[in-house]
């Protein structure tokens, strides 16, 4: 075909003129792009350089670490969101998510509140080896466990267990600090009265503000404890609140809390859309999960072959991601709960066990991708990262 | 130092097809993508029990197996079709106004004419003539450009010569007087990003004609399925892909590509680069200014950035019928104004009467969401620049405020919508900036103004030897054009490499 027949089209000359003018008058985009990048960095930084500015003993097993930013800027977040800390412990480069317990209106620092996990790698390190003045690196704020004014009711029923109190602390502090028109009924379950984090602060807030109520519930109380005992049950909620219509439910805590409370809420006839639950990390006793193959023992060892030829040893009960980290293979991670898909890897051959509820994209399933933070080897594997 | 025959930067549609086409020919290719997943716009994400589609509303250019469109032929050649399942959408679109006006345009020409004439009897003749015009224009266009007539002329292709560069509103005004009818026939401006006043009739006529001729499609598993399928082909053909690893620099020496430096500071020696990053990023950030030819800087200066989008992803805990959603593609129309006033609305940081499209994939694909649920993807176009003026701490407030107004608009048409929301996520122009890395979150590359249309701009070629551009910044936008642009960039490299 002849080149440039459009030069003969009606109106061609006008457009040529327009191009001339716009080339003359058009601006340079480069500075605007740099501004835009800086803006995005302020909203969603990839990494934050933090410094421990204070450590607060909350309970015998829990401390709050207060972080300031090394460049004096902390991005905004929604109460309930978490940051992932990236660190090296015992030669292993790894990460852990922690909810921010300070409120969003506190722009000078982020608090995270860490509870000791028996034999836990990072919690023990943070509690025993991190000191004021130490530097740490984290992700920007992440997560979907927050109050969404579009769909959530202004009255929230919050159920927390153990360290699961942290996102609620941020929410409650924001409500009372900023005088938000929201009501929170907090049920907070713990093993013993000694474990209750933020008890004094919560008691005081509940006394001073009509829109916050607080009920600690203790599983194994000491003899002189006079409060509510046992678990957070549907009866307890009904007793205290009566009407549960027009309320949103938020729940955050260890696996056991969900296993107990979700059926309770269902029993109360609460629609799924009214219940928001935070993630709780990888399942602990994966071999007890429905669907775990009987033939595989939790201590079985499988081989994991990488594309570069390396061959690793993996224990069935350990998430693939942990195996990789222990061998210095870094996979990007954020939530470590199967939700964010940052850690997806492709299984070229062999099988892993991944709980059915893990939200994996349909086509990722089709092409063999798994979320390595919640995938457990049950055969010898070959993977592509 | 590592060495590859070619490096592809970015795994959007254009980057993926470029990489796969090269690998298929045995070219040793490295694909770099900043994110942890392929697709760029063509992706999805999960919330609760929903998997939300990000970009694809209606796939164009596929055609049926019996009457394949160009896209189907290309995907077939690439060898990815066996892993994909497409669902034909029975409607072009549904238009709903808050006053209760409803119309559904089908993919059949005579059905559409009849339907429109029934609703707009006073425009009966004009409707006939307008559909004739679209068909005549399309025939001319295909004759001259698709079949590459060696001797085109005004006599052979009168419609092409007369109408191609004229703006769509002018033509609609010439044919019709009813503002609602004009607005209904021009809703696809939303897929192209510029209002009818600025949109060449060439584009409006062709998009309408194409969807009628080759039918709109949905992909099972969403656009991520397509991205994954192409990546899978690339890998099985021996390609190397690195995710969560962007390109930081394209090193140029003596006017030729020399190497690419990654975010991890690895330098990769290569003679050929396909950049699926925006043209602006490629020339202002990836290549040092002293190596950018003057002609390129002048060209970029004269171009406008396209709009970005404000999108709401909603998961409902009921079937679509319960909400009153009966069609896949629904334009919610509050105003019939198709003047330049649209541009002002696109600049505003609120949502009032703008045109929006609500796609419900579950209508055509019952497996799309879990049983007893459905989802909607609601979009309106917004320029990105004003969003950068929001103080970061107020960003979430503005986002929620806009989402609330958008939801009110949805409720006007589907009154029970709010009651059934289980999951909701909102994407703003800043979200697009963050995930695509494009300036101002532009989703359609450069603005599709007539002056920026394919007739006037350089396309995939660069004066820097060995550098090619693929994707929405190198030509037309949308899935079909961007997928095809990667293939043609790859073919240029294959020719230069002399690969058989
Ligand atoms: C969104 C989110 C928010 C969170 N917020 C908080 C918070 O605010 N405060 C808080 O304290 N925690 C929080 N967590 C939990 C936190 O991320 C860590 O999981 C917790 O601190 C334990 O980490 P660890 O490294 O100490 O334990 P890990 O080393 O990860 O061990 C976890 C468990 O696995 C067991 N285990 C350890 N090694 C092995 C092994 N080799 N094989 C099998 N089992 C093993 C341990 O005994 C322990 O029970 C949050 C988690 C999520 C997902
Ligand atoms: C909301 C929305 C709705 C849409 N609806 C439709 C529709 O219904 N029909 C239709 O046909 N089209 C639609 N589109 C348009 C279509 O999605 C796009 O035109 C097309 O996907 C763009 O493809 P691309 O090749 O330009 O790559 P993009 O999708 O723009 O991807 C570019 C990729 O390059 C990567 N990248 C950028 N810089 C670097 C770097 N330095 N290093 C490494 N990687 C980098 C990015 O991370 C990204 O993955 C829609 C788009 C959006 C956003
Ligand atoms: S780190 Fe989020 S899914 Fe694995």
């Amino acid at each position: 075909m002849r080149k440039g027949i459009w030069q003969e089209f009606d109106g061609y000359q006008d457009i040529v003129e327009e191009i001339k003018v716009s080339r003359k008058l058009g601006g340079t985009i480069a500075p605007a792009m740099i501004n835009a990048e800086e803006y995005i960095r302020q909203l969603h930084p990839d990494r934050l350089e933090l410094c421990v500015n204070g450590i607060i003993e909350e309970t015998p097993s829990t401390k709050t670490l207060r972080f300031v930013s090394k460049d004096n800027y902390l991005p905004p977040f929604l109460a309930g969101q978490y940051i992932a800390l990236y660190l090296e412990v015992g030669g292993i480069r790894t990460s852990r998510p922690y909810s921010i317990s300070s409120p969003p209106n506190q722009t000078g620092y982020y608090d995270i509140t860490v509870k000791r996990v028996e034999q836990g790698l990072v919690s023990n390190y943070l509690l025993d080896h991190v000191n004021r003045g130490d530097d740490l690196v984290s992700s920007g704020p992440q997560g979907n466990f927050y109050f969404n004014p579009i769909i959530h009711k202004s009255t929230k029923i919050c159920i927390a267990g153990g360290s699961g109190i942290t996102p609620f602390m941020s929410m409650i502090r924001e409500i009372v600090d900023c005088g938000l028109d929201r009501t929170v009924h907090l049920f907070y379950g713990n093993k013993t009265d000694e474990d209750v984090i933020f008890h004094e602060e919560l008691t005081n807030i509940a006394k001073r503000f009509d829109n916050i109520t607080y009920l600690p519930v203790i599983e194994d109380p000491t003899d002189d404890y006079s409060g509510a005992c046992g678990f957070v049950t549907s009866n307890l909620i009904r007793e205290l609140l009566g009407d549960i219509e027009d309320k949103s439910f938020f729940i955050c805590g260890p696996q056991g809390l969900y296993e107990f409370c979700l059926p309770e809420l269902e029993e109360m006839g609460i629609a799924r859309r009214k219940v928001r639950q935070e993630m709780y990390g990888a399942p602990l006793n994966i071999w007890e999960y429905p669907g775990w193959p009987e033939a595989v023992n939790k201590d079985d060892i499988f081989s994991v072959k990488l594309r570069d030829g390396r061959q690793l040893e993996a224990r069935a009960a350990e998430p693939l991601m942990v195996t990789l980290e222990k061998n210095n293979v870094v996979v990007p991670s954020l939530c470590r709960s199967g939700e964010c898909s940052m850690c997806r890897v492709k299984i070229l051959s062999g099988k892993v066990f991944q709980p059915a509820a893990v939200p994996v994209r349909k086509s990722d399933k089709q092409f063999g991708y798994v979320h390595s933070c919640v995938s457990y080897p049950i055969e010898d594997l070959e993977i592509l990262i | 130092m590592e060495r590859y025959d070619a490096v592809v930067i970015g795994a959007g549609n254009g980057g993926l097809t470029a990489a796969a086409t090269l690998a298929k020919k045995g070219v040793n290719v490295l694909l770099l993508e900043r994110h942890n997943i392929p697709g760029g716009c063509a992706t999805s994400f999960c919330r609760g029990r929903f998997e939300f589609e990000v970009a694809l509303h209606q796939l164009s250019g596929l055609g049926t197996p019996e009457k394949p469109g160009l896209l189907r032929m290309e995907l077939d050649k690439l060898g990815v079709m066996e892993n994909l399942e497409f669902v034909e959408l029975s409607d072009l679109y549904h238009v709903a106004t808050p006053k209760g006006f409803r119309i559904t345009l089908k993919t059949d020409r005579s059905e559409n004419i009849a339907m429109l004439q029934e609703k707009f009897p006073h425009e009966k003749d004009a409707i006939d003539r307008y559909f004739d015009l679209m068909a005549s224009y399309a025939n001319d266009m295909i004759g001259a450009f698709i079949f590459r007539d060696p001797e085109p002329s005004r006599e052979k292709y009168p419609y092409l010569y007369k109408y191609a560069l004229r703006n769509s509103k002018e033509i609609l005004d010439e044919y019709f007087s009813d503002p609602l009818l004009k607005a209904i026939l021009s809703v696809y401006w939303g897929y192209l990003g510029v209002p009818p006043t600025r949109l060449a009739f060439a584009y409006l006529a062709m998009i309408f004609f194409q969807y009628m001729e080759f039918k709109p499609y949905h992909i099972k598993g969403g656009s991520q399925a397509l991205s994954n399928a192409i990546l899978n082909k690339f890998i099985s053909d021996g390609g190397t892909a690195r995710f969560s690893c962007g390109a930081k620099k394209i090193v140029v020496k003596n006017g030729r590509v020399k190497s690419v430096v990654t975010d991890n500071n690895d330098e990769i020696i290569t003679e050929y680069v396909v950049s699926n990053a925006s043209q602006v990023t490629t020339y202002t950030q990836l290549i040092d200014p002293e190596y950018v030819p003057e002609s390129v800087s002048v060209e970029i200066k004269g171009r406008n950035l396209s709009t970005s989008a404000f999108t709401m992803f909603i998961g409902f805990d009921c079937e679509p019928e319960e909400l009153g959603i009966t069609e896949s593609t629904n334009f919610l129309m509050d105003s019939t104004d198709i003047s330049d006033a649209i541009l002002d609305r696109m600049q505003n940081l609120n949502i009032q009467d703008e045109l929006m499209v609500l796609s419900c994939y579950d209508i055509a694909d019952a497996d799309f969401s879990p049983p007893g649920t459905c989802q909607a993807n609601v979009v309106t176009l917004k320029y990105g620049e004003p969003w950068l003026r929001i103080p970061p701490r107020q960003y979430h407030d503005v986002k929620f405020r806009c989402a609330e107004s958008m939801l009110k608009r949805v409720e006007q048409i589907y009154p029970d919508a709010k009651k059934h929301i289980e999951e909701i996520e909102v994407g703003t122009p800043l979200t697009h900036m963050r995930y695509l890395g494009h300036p101002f979150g532009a989703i359609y590359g450069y603005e599709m103004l007539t002056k920026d249309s394919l007739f006037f701009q350089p396309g995939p070629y660069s004066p820097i030897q060995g550098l090619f551009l693929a994707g929405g910044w190198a030509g037309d936008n949308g899935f079909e054009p961007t997928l095809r642009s990667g293939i043609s960039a790859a073919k240029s490299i294959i020719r230069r490499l002399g690969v058989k």
Side-chain angles (χ1 to χ4, degrees):
Chain A
M1 192 175 73
R2 226 167 55 234
K3 274 243 152 59
I5 63 159
W6 44 88
Q7 295 179 7
E8 298 158 22
F9 290 177
D10 288 359
Y12 176 79
Q13 268 315 316
D14 298 346
I15 297 194
V16 170
E17 283 308 307
E18 198 184 330
I19 293 175
K20 263 193 214 143
V21 172
S22 54
R23 284 188 177 168
K24 199 144 111 207
L25 301 182
T28 312
I29 309 170
M33 284 204 47
I34 293 165
N35 281 344
E37 247 173 38
E38 178 52 29
Y39 188 95
I40 298 288
R41 215 187 56 78
Q42 290 191 17
L43 211 50
H44 295 293
D46 217 30
R47 290 286 182 274
L48 292 173
E49 308 262 336
L50 303 171
C51 176
V52 180
N53 179 256
I55 298 178
I56 304 159
E57 302 253 355
E58 304 286 359
T59 73
S61 62
T62 309
K63 287 180 187 171
T64 291
L65 304 185
R66 178 157 296 173
F67 295 121
V68 293
S69 156
K70 286 172 80 175
D71 65 3
N72 290 320
Y73 178 81
L74 288 170
F77 66 97
L78 294 166
Q81 287 188 308
Y82 69 85
I83 51 174
L85 292 181
Y86 298 102
L87 58 193
E88 190 174 320
V89 183
I92 299 172
R93 277 202 283 163
T94 185
S95 74
R96 290 294 181 278
Y98 290 96
S99 305
I100 304 173
S101 58
S102 53
N105 50 298
Q106 175 49 263
T107 57
Y109 58 79
Y110 290 164
D111 281 347
I112 64 163
T113 303
V114 182
K115 187 177 160 118
R116 192 179 300 279
V117 169
E118 236 175 272
Q119 287 171 35
L121 182 68
V122 174
S123 58
N124 288 288
Y125 171 79
L126 291 174
L127 292 172
D128 301 337
H129 298 290
V130 169
N131 298 305
R132 190 156 187 251
D134 286 357
D135 292 342
L136 278 167
V137 175
S138 80
S139 70
Q142 299 286 340
N144 307 308
F145 189 71
Y146 53 77
F147 178 82
N148 183 334
I150 313 168
I151 50 167
H152 292 137
K153 310 289 180 195
S154 67
T155 300
K156 299 195 292 187
I157 297 173
C158 299
I159 304 171
S163 67
I165 188 67
T166 48
F168 298 126
M169 239 11 240
S170 179
M171 294 179 190
I172 290 171
R173 285 166 164 167
E174 183 188 28
I175 292 174
V176 300
D177 282 3
C178 303
L180 302 183
D181 184 18
R182 278 183 224 154
T183 301
V184 169
H185 301 290
L186 172 68
F187 295 83
Y188 182 20
N190 273 287
K191 192 113 184 133
T192 70
D193 19 336
E194 210 182 43
D195 290 328
V196 186
I197 315 172
F198 302 122
H199 181 65
E200 247 185 63
E201 184 176 347
L202 286 167
T203 310
N204 283 334
I205 289 177
K207 244 187 242 155
R208 282 173 52 213
F209 296 91
D210 287 345
N211 56 335
I212 311 286
T213 65
Y214 165 55
L215 187 76
V217 183
I218 307 298
E219 196 185 326
D220 288 328
T222 43
D223 293 341
D224 53 355
Y225 182 77
S226 58
C229 300
F231 292 123
V232 179
T233 60
S234 54
N235 280 339
L236 193 66
I237 296 174
R238 256 201 228 100
E239 223 169 84
L240 208 77
L241 300 175
D243 171 30
I244 47 153
E245 276 307 297
D246 251 12
K247 297 183 173 62
S248 295
F249 288 77
F250 282 70
I251 168 164
C252 178
Q255 204 174 326
L257 182 79
Y258 298 98
E259 279 165 12
F260 184 82
C261 288
L262 290 176
E264 292 284 304
L265 298 183
E266 206 177 309
E267 189 262 328
M268 290 165 79
I270 294 160
R272 191 167 171 160
R273 65 167 181 273
K274 293 190 177 168
V275 184
R276 180 138 294 257
Q277 61 186 89
E278 180 55 310
M279 305 168 279
Y280 48 85
L284 285 181
N285 302 333
I286 190 69
W287 57 91
E288 289 167 4
Y289 245 66
W292 179 267
E294 250 172 61
V296 179
N297 187 288
K298 70 182 168 68
D299 295 319
D300 286 355
I301 303 285
F302 298 102
S303 75
V304 178
K305 212 171 137 198
L306 306 180
R307 261 271 167 116
D308 62 11
R310 266 192 291 173
Q311 194 135 337
L312 319 174
E313 280 194 350
R315 209 160 53 87
E318 197 161 77
L320 186 54
M321 174 187 263
V322 174
T323 299
L324 293 170
E325 285 177 345
K326 285 183 177 170
N327 289 281
N328 234 325
V329 181
V330 180
V331 183
S333 64
L334 275 173
C335 74
R336 299 183 82 95
S337 309
E339 298 262 342
C340 75
S341 97
M342 271 308 278
C343 63
R344 65 198 268 288
V345 301
K346 187 172 165 91
I347 306 291
L348 296 171
S349 70
K351 268 203 193 113
V352 296
F353 177 78
Q354 183 176 240
V358 174
V360 180
R361 297 172 179 93
K362 282 191 226 82
S363 61
D364 273 0
K365 284 189 192 143
Q366 183 189 346
F367 291 102
Y369 289 88
V370 299
H371 297 179
S372 60
C373 64
V374 289
S375 293
Y376 301 78
I378 51 174
E379 286 179 10
D380 288 342
L381 302 174
E382 194 183 343
I383 67 171
L384 178 70
I385 294 165
Chain B
M1 242 181 273
E2 289 176 276
R3 191 178 287 274
Y4 283 89
D5 296 338
V7 174
V8 177
I9 301 174
N13 283 336
L16 282 169
T17 53
T21 307
L22 288 166
K24 191 159 185 273
K25 286 280 179 190
V27 179
N28 191 18
V29 190
L30 175 67
L31 172 63
L32 296 173
E33 167 57 53
R34 186 158 278 168
H35 287 287
N36 74 322
I37 185 154
C41 295
T43 191
S44 68
F45 62 94
C46 294
R47 286 286 183 276
R49 47 181 174 160
F50 296 92
E51 178 177 346
F52 291 121
E53 165 67 46
V54 168
L56 183 60
H57 292 258
Q58 297 184 288
L59 185 67
S60 67
L62 195 67
T64 57
E66 298 74 41
K67 187 184 158 197
L70 288 172
L71 182 61
R72 187 182 288 269
M73 294 193 256
E74 301 269 27
L75 293 178
D76 229 0
K77 260 193 248 157
L78 205 54
V80 296
M81 286 302 276
E82 58 265 36
N83 279 320
L84 289 165
E85 211 179 314
F86 296 94
V87 185
E88 187 183 321
L89 303 176
S90 60
D91 314 312
L92 233 40
Y93 52 80
H94 179 77
V95 177
T97 77
K99 292 199 184 102
F101 178 89
R102 297 280 187 280
I103 190 169
T104 302
L105 296 189
K106 297 280 175 190
T107 53
D108 180 76
R109 176 185 148 130
S110 45
E111 232 180 302
N112 280 339
I113 294 176
M115 170 71 71
L116 286 161
Q117 289 179 336
E118 185 198 315
K119 298 264 185 189
F120 300 94
H122 47 290
E123 301 268 26
K124 190 163 179 303
D125 289 349
I127 291 168
D128 276 326
R129 284 190 292 118
Y130 183 76
F131 274 81
D132 284 347
L133 172 68
M134 278 197 292
S136 309
Y137 179 83
N139 281 333
D140 280 9
M141 181 79 189
I142 291 167
F145 285 94
I146 308 288
F147 293 115
R148 296 167 194 254
D149 188 337
E151 284 302 325
S153 69
R154 187 177 285 270
E155 288 64 43
K156 277 196 205 162
Y157 305 113
Y159 295 94
L160 181 65
Y161 278 67
K162 183 159 176 218
Y163 289 101
L165 302 184
R166 287 185 62 194
N167 83 59
S168 307
K169 177 159 187 296
E170 233 171 66
I171 303 206
L172 289 162
D173 284 343
E174 219 169 272
Y175 277 72
F176 306 111
S177 59
D178 193 315
L180 179 59
L181 178 57
K182 287 190 250 185
I184 289 172
L185 287 172
S186 59
V187 287
Y188 274 149
W189 74 259
Y191 284 12
L192 299 161
V194 283
T197 40
R198 308 288 172 118
L199 182 65
F201 185 67
Y203 281 100
L204 184 64
M206 285 315 285
I207 193 171
F208 204 98
F209 175 84
Q210 276 250 9
Y211 276 131
M212 277 201 297
E213 199 65 14
F214 294 109
K215 314 298 173 198
Y217 278 85
H218 159 81
I219 308 174
K220 280 228 165 190
S223 56
Q224 187 70 61
L226 177 63
S227 307
N228 278 355
I230 303 173
L231 181 76
N232 188 61
K233 185 71 176 73
F234 170 68
I235 292 171
S236 53
D237 282 341
T240 308
R242 246 170 247 170
F243 288 92
S244 307
C245 178
K248 201 154 76 179
K249 274 265 143 343
I250 301 173
V251 182
V252 177
K253 208 174 160 189
N254 302 329
R256 278 206 72 93
V257 168
K258 176 176 163 272
S259 63
V260 172
V261 181
T262 71
D263 282 343
N264 304 335
N265 289 320
D266 296 326
E267 185 170 352
I268 290 145
I269 305 292
T270 190
E271 282 180 28
Y272 293 97
V273 166
V274 178
S275 179
N276 188 209
S278 80
Q279 196 213 32
V280 183
T281 311
T282 307
Y283 287 120
T284 64
Q285 295 185 319
L286 295 180
I287 300 174
D288 284 331
E290 59 265 38
Y291 301 111
V292 177
E294 175 70 17
S295 62
V296 171
S297 309
V298 168
E299 186 220 322
I300 293 183
K301 241 181 106 183
R303 304 194 70 175
N304 303 43
L305 299 178
S306 73
T307 178
S308 190
F310 184 91
T311 312
M312 211 153 72
F313 308 92
I314 315 176
F316 296 105
D317 70 348
C318 65
E319 298 284 349
E321 304 83 68
E322 214 173 310
L323 300 170
I325 302 178
T326 50
E327 272 91 359
S328 302
T329 309
N330 305 275
F331 283 90
L332 314 187
M333 186 185 283
D334 224 23
S335 157
T336 55
D337 188 356
I338 53 168
S339 74
D340 265 355
I342 289 175
L343 289 170
D344 299 334
R345 297 254 20 91
M346 288 162 73
Q347 294 281 356
N348 284 352
L349 287 171
N350 59 20
I351 287 175
Q352 295 174 2
D353 61 357
E354 29 282 88
L355 183 68
M356 47 184 73
V357 61
L358 180 153
S359 289
C360 178
Y361 311 101
D362 305 275
I363 299 284
D365 175 4
D367 307 330
F368 201 68
S369 309
T373 71
C374 68
Q375 63 169 275
N377 172 322
V378 196
V379 198
T380 193
L381 299 178
K382 289 282 170 193
Y383 282 102
E385 199 269 336
W387 290 76
L388 292 169
R389 283 182 252 135
I390 306 170
R393 289 195 193 281
Q394 283 166 32
Y395 169 68
H396 291 113
D397 293 339
V398 176
K399 170 169 153 171
F400 285 136
R401 181 161 50 78
C402 288
E404 237 159 319
S405 322
M406 184 176 242
L407 194 57
K408 287 217 174 82
R409 288 278 311 279
V410 172
E411 284 181 280
Q412 281 182 348
I413 309 294
Y414 309 107
D416 286 340
K418 195 167 174 174
K419 280 185 228 151
H420 287 284
I421 300 179
E422 180 173 309
E423 294 287 342
I424 188 162
E425 190 58 71
V426 179
T428 70
L430 293 168
T431 318
H432 290 109
M433 268 181 240
R434 177 180 171 205
Y435 284 109
L436 302 174
H438 297 337
F440 295 159
I443 59 168
Y444 296 141
Y446 289 117
E447 197 90 283
M448 284 201 214
L449 298 169
T450 313
K451 77 172 170 67
D452 293 316
S453 62
L454 72 175
F455 299 127
F456 295 94
Q457 302 295 346
Y461 300 101
S462 166
I464 295 175
Q465 290 203 30
L467 175 64
F468 296 85
L469 300 167
W473 298 82
D476 286 347
N477 257 277
F479 275 71
E480 183 204 352
T482 52
L483 288 163
R484 289 177 48 209
S485 79
I487 296 172
S488 65
K491 283 183 179 161
S492 303
I493 293 178
I494 289 166
R495 267 198 305 278
R496 282 169 178 76
L497 281 170
V499 180
K500 288 269 150 48

